[in-house]
Amino acid sequence: MTACSKEKPVTNIVKSDFGVLADGSKADLYTLTNANGMEVKVTNYGGAITSWTAPDKDGKYANIALGYETVEDYVAGSPYFGAIIGRYGNRIAGGKFTLGDSTYQLPLNDGPNSLHGGEKGFDKVLWTATPADGEEPQLKLSYLAKDGEQGYPGNLQVTVTYTLQKDNSLKIDYEATTDKETVVNLTNHTYFNLAGGGAITDHVLTLDADRFLPVSETLIPTGERRAVAGTVFDFTRATRIGDGIGAGDEQIRFGKGYDHCWVFTDSSTTLKPVGRVSDPKSGREMEVLTTEPAIQFYSGNFMTGEYKGKGGRSYPYRTGFCLETQHYPDSPNQPSFPSTLLKPGETYTSTTVYRFL
Ligand code: BGC
């Protein structure tokens, strides 16, 4: 007997409607599932992860990522919930940088600086989605950022691929090419809450980073790579986030909590474990692996409670934290930082894995 040759129906990745944008274009939602029961929802609007379930110590799955239920809610106001961040993750001082003989001015959307790619970064555009079914379902998202878009030079062709793996991890592969010298720093802005709700201060964090980047009052790195030893920035051993978040430290005051870039002790560009976070009550624990040299740990200090979805979900102060793997903020203006320059003929690549244990 030969096996039935009928095409297998798509089962591990399902597309549904996610609402309509002001210009009439439609947004879609893709639901990725694996055999364990983990479910990750991704919209092609901003490439945002809108929800993500993970098991607690009893195997009970609950949503651990902050997000909304329709695209209209994202447009109405989202602090980058789950989104792809680009062309440049985090801040560029004065929104200005120079490449060769040309100086580029970006939109100033964060006080005197440019943040997360400008007014309309990669978090606010519709990506072209290509789903692939399988035991490890995949969603490939593509976007062409035009030469001059948000002030950046070069047509930048970007692809971001989400793969939900069998071992309860989500792998994010980033790739980009340009036709003119430009700068690139891509990341993902998921707000995690492994307890499924409430303040995130009881989470316990480990970062394999012996240095962090102190910042100015407007959160631009000063250029120093300061040792974490003996400070509230030391997460080299598992430490409760709430323990140092209210410290009188000037750096904590500038960030209103943690909002800094940690530099990994291991500077290799291979995919390596760089940190872990757990919620002792639920027993949920997540490991982070990346090819990037640094991570922005943001403890949700600017969340004010004004973010509300139609579904009634609201997200008050410090109810989510981000672990944004990336190059350092403001690298285009700081020659001593690892370069974020991308030239024609080169391919930018970056991989990050968030794995639940
Ligand atoms: C930044 C914060 C900013 C947040 C946006 C983080 O990556 O470091 O300063 O407020 O994104 O919500």
Side-chain angles (χ1 to χ4, degrees):
M1 292 285 282
T2 55
C4 174
S5 66
K6 249 178 140 189
E7 216 181 288
K8 240 182 96 196
V10 172
T11 52
N12 285 340
I13 183 159
V14 174
K15 181 179 167 182
S16 54
D17 292 340
F18 200 55
V20 183
L21 294 170
D23 69 357
S25 47
K26 286 191 183 139
D28 298 315
L29 187 71
Y30 292 85
T31 303
L32 288 70
T33 47
N34 70 10
N36 309 322
M38 180 170 277
E39 181 193 83
V40 180
K41 291 180 189 272
V42 181
T43 171
N44 62 336
Y45 179 76
I49 294 169
T50 69
S51 80
W52 182 348
T53 66
D56 67 6
K57 55 180 181 308
D58 302 318
K60 200 170 141 252
Y61 281 74
N63 181 31
I64 51 83
L66 278 49
Y68 296 137
E69 271 146 44
T70 67
V71 75
E72 288 86 348
D73 287 341
Y74 283 85
V75 173
S78 161
Y80 306 92
F81 280 150
I84 297 170
I85 301 296
R87 181 177 305 204
Y88 198 94
N90 216 278
R91 293 173 178 80
I92 294 184
K96 204 184 264 186
F97 63 93
T98 301
L99 294 179
D101 297 333
S102 308
T103 295
Y104 299 95
Q105 181 64 57
L106 316 169
L108 304 180
N109 60 333
D110 188 71
N113 304 314
S114 193
L115 175 67
H116 294 336
E119 264 148 23
K120 192 177 178 186
F122 294 176
D123 58 296
K124 294 183 188 68
V125 300
L126 265 192
W127 294 66
T128 302
T130 315
D133 193 14
E135 225 184 333
E136 300 197 321
Q138 229 175 33
L139 186 69
K140 182 172 158 187
L141 298 167
S142 315
Y143 180 69
L144 174 67
K146 301 248 174 64
D147 185 16
E149 189 170 317
Q150 296 298 300
Y152 290 92
N155 289 296
L156 189 78
Q157 182 63 60
V158 190
T159 65
V160 177
T161 307
Y162 291 105
T163 308
L164 178 57
Q165 305 189 114
K166 289 185 283 191
D167 64 351
N168 273 359
S169 66
L170 184 73
K171 179 156 78 90
I172 314 178
D173 291 299
Y174 304 84
E175 233 181 79
T177 53
T178 183
D179 59 1
K180 224 190 234 180
E181 271 199 353
T182 191
V183 292
V184 188
N185 193 26
L186 306 178
T187 190
N188 176 277
H189 212 292
T190 292
Y191 286 71
F192 295 98
N193 186 327
L194 303 194
I200 49 85
T201 34
D202 282 339
H203 284 67
V204 174
L205 177 68
T206 310
L207 293 174
D208 302 333
D210 58 5
R211 312 235 150 212
F212 80 104
L213 305 180
V215 290
S216 69
E217 234 165 317
T218 68
L219 305 184
I220 297 294
T222 59
E224 183 191 346
R225 288 171 229 208
R226 190 177 292 172
V228 296
T231 76
V232 292
F233 291 85
D234 190 352
F235 285 96
T236 52
R237 261 177 258 143
T239 303
R240 188 178 160 269
I241 291 175
D243 286 354
I245 208 169
D249 188 289
E250 183 184 66
Q251 283 300 311
I252 290 285
R253 199 154 44 77
F254 287 167
K256 298 190 167 46
Y258 292 112
D259 190 359
H260 297 78
C261 185
W262 271 254
V263 176
F264 301 130
T265 310
D266 176 355
S267 60
S268 68
T269 54
T270 51
L271 188 67
K272 60 202 174 280
V274 292
R276 282 155 295 284
V277 61
S278 63
D279 165 48
K281 248 191 230 143
S282 65
R284 290 195 183 88
E285 183 168 17
M286 183 182 81
E287 182 183 30
V288 184
L289 300 94
T290 191
T291 57
E292 287 298 309
I295 196 161
Q296 184 82 14
F297 164 45
Y298 169 56
S299 55
N301 317 309
F302 297 108
M303 301 174 77
T304 57
E306 90 253 31
Y307 308 120
K308 284 192 185 80
K310 277 206 190 97
R313 282 197 221 161
S314 96
Y315 296 117
Y317 188 54
R318 286 194 186 146
T319 49
F321 62 87
C322 304
L323 290 168
E324 304 156 69
T325 52
Q326 56 189 228
H327 273 56
Y328 310 178
D330 199 37
S331 299
N333 294 310
Q334 308 221 20
S336 75
F337 287 177
S339 174
T340 50
L341 186 69
L342 183 70
K343 296 181 185 157
E346 296 176 347
T347 302
Y348 166 98
T349 59
S350 174
T351 298
T352 292
V353 175
Y354 297 101
R355 174 185 291 144
F356 283 86
L357 304 171

